[in-house]
Amino acid sequence: MTQLSLAYIFQHQKLLVDENLQLPKVEKLASDLPIHHNDHVIARDLLEHESVPDGYQLIPIRELIQLWSTTEFLQASRAVQLLEWRRNHKFCSHCGHATEIHSKEYAMVCPACGYHQYPRVQPCVITIITKGDDELLLAKSAHNKSNMYGLIAGFVEVGETLEEAVQREAFEEVGVKLKNIRYMSSQPWPFPSNLMIAFHAEYDSGDIQLQLEEIADARFFKFDQLPEIPFKGSIAHSMIMQVIESKKAS
């Protein structure tokens, strides 16, 4: 009897689930990617010309963050990032030859020049900036049409420490300088393949000056007068709640 595998089947950022948000179980194909080696959980692309099976639907992975457990979301995150990596490395970046997937490790191998292309993550810093005992800085993205306010975040640049990235992003986006920068936590963020590294920092100096191409509005809000903030399940929401609760407890 063939053993079925639990399948994360994606069409780009949408995942195939049934009406109860459960994953399908399928016979493993040679083209499937194992989520972890030597187990029966796989990742698979649902191609554009392939139809959605009866009883199933494609749900954006962003929506599942709020509905699934952390463990479920992290495994889905791993699956979609592995598929994205394979999709984007079909050809060798050194010589242009078509690549082949390694049989025992996550690597796209060039049979012509032997170059190995491994999955990469892009480190991003995200910072909650507090002022005094009851205020935090929130910013509204110029690219977001909703009224949601979030935290200052951005990619780490080449040759830059994480702490330097925190200072630079805060100064570039809202014109303030920070002090007492402290690491909080991290979260894989598969949009498309980021690692969010969370910090808490205190306001030091400077008036808020917006980087208008990135930030539509930014200000300090009282803890009990917050605007719409990122949804539960996101690292930003967790950071905001953690800081507020810690201040209440102190």
Side-chain angles (χ1 to χ4, degrees), residues 7 11 16 24 45 48 69 80-81 101-102 117 122 124 132 139 147 154-155 183 185 204-205 207 228 233:
Q11 193 170 86
L16 188 72
D45 279 314
E48 298 290 346
S69 69
V80 73
Q81 289 181 73
I101 191 164
H102 196 284
Q117 298 174 121
Q122 303 172 94
C124 303
N147 289 319
F155 291 103
Y183 170 80
S185 61
D204 185 21
S205 62
D207 297 324
E228 180 184 349

Side-chain angles (χ1 to χ4, degrees), residues 9-21:
I9 301 177
F10 279 94
Q11 193 170 86
H12 301 294
Q13 291 283 337
K14 293 183 177 181
L15 179 63
L16 188 72
V17 292
D18 66 16
E19 59 183 12
N20 297 314
L21 304 182

Side-chain angles (χ1 to χ4, degrees), residues 86-139:
R86 184 175 67 176
R87 197 180 303 122
N88 291 338
H89 292 85
K90 293 180 179 179
F91 297 92
C92 178
S93 61
H94 276 194
C95 71
H97 196 281
T99 56
E100 300 171 352
I101 191 164
H102 196 284
S103 61
K104 295 182 180 179
E105 59 183 26
Y106 295 122
M108 299 299 286
V109 181
C110 177
C113 71
Y115 183 61
H116 286 47
Q117 298 174 121
Y118 296 94
R120 296 285 188 269
V121 294
Q122 303 172 94
C124 303
V125 291
I126 180 168
T127 310
I128 185 164
I129 302 167
T130 56
K131 184 179 182 182
D133 292 327
D134 64 347
E135 289 186 290
L136 61 88
L137 190 147
L138 295 172

Side-chain angles (χ1 to χ4, degrees), residues 73-74 77-78 81 186-191 193-196 235:
F73 172 70
L74 290 179
S77 171
R78 180 178 176 86
Q81 289 181 73
S186 63
Q187 181 185 47
W189 196 243
F191 305 108
S193 188
N194 304 335
L195 176 63
M196 305 301 295
I235 194 169

Side-chain angles (χ1 to χ4, degrees), residues 35-103:
I35 300 300
H36 302 283
H37 291 297
N38 302 320
D39 67 10
H40 293 281
V41 183
I42 59 95
R44 178 187 297 178
D45 279 314
L46 182 69
L47 303 179
E48 298 290 346
H49 68 272
E50 294 179 314
S51 60
V52 175
D54 290 341
Y56 287 88
Q57 57 188 324
L58 289 169
I59 298 292
I61 189 175
R62 284 182 182 272
E63 295 182 15
L64 294 171
I65 297 172
Q66 305 173 68
L67 303 170
W68 278 7
S69 69
T70 299
T71 300
E72 289 173 319
F73 172 70
L74 290 179
Q75 188 150 268
S77 171
R78 180 178 176 86
V80 73
Q81 289 181 73
L82 286 171
L83 291 171
E84 183 82 6
W85 157 72
R86 184 175 67 176
R87 197 180 303 122
N88 291 338
H89 292 85
K90 293 180 179 179
F91 297 92
C92 178
S93 61
H94 276 194
C95 71
H97 196 281
T99 56
E100 300 171 352
I101 191 164
H102 196 284
S103 61

Side-chain angles (χ1 to χ4, degrees), residues 198-242:
F199 289 88
H200 177 199
E202 297 173 18
Y203 166 82
D204 185 21
S205 62
D207 297 324
I208 292 178
Q209 297 181 22
L210 305 181
Q211 185 182 26
L212 294 177
E213 61 269 28
E214 296 291 337
I215 305 297
D217 185 34
R219 64 185 93 159
F220 284 97
F221 292 89
K222 296 287 187 181
F223 287 175
D224 60 356
Q225 298 176 5
L226 297 182
E228 180 184 349
I229 62 172
F231 51 80
K232 185 179 180 181
S234 66
I235 194 169
H237 183 277
S238 174
M239 293 165 67
I240 292 169
M241 293 299 102
Q242 184 177 334

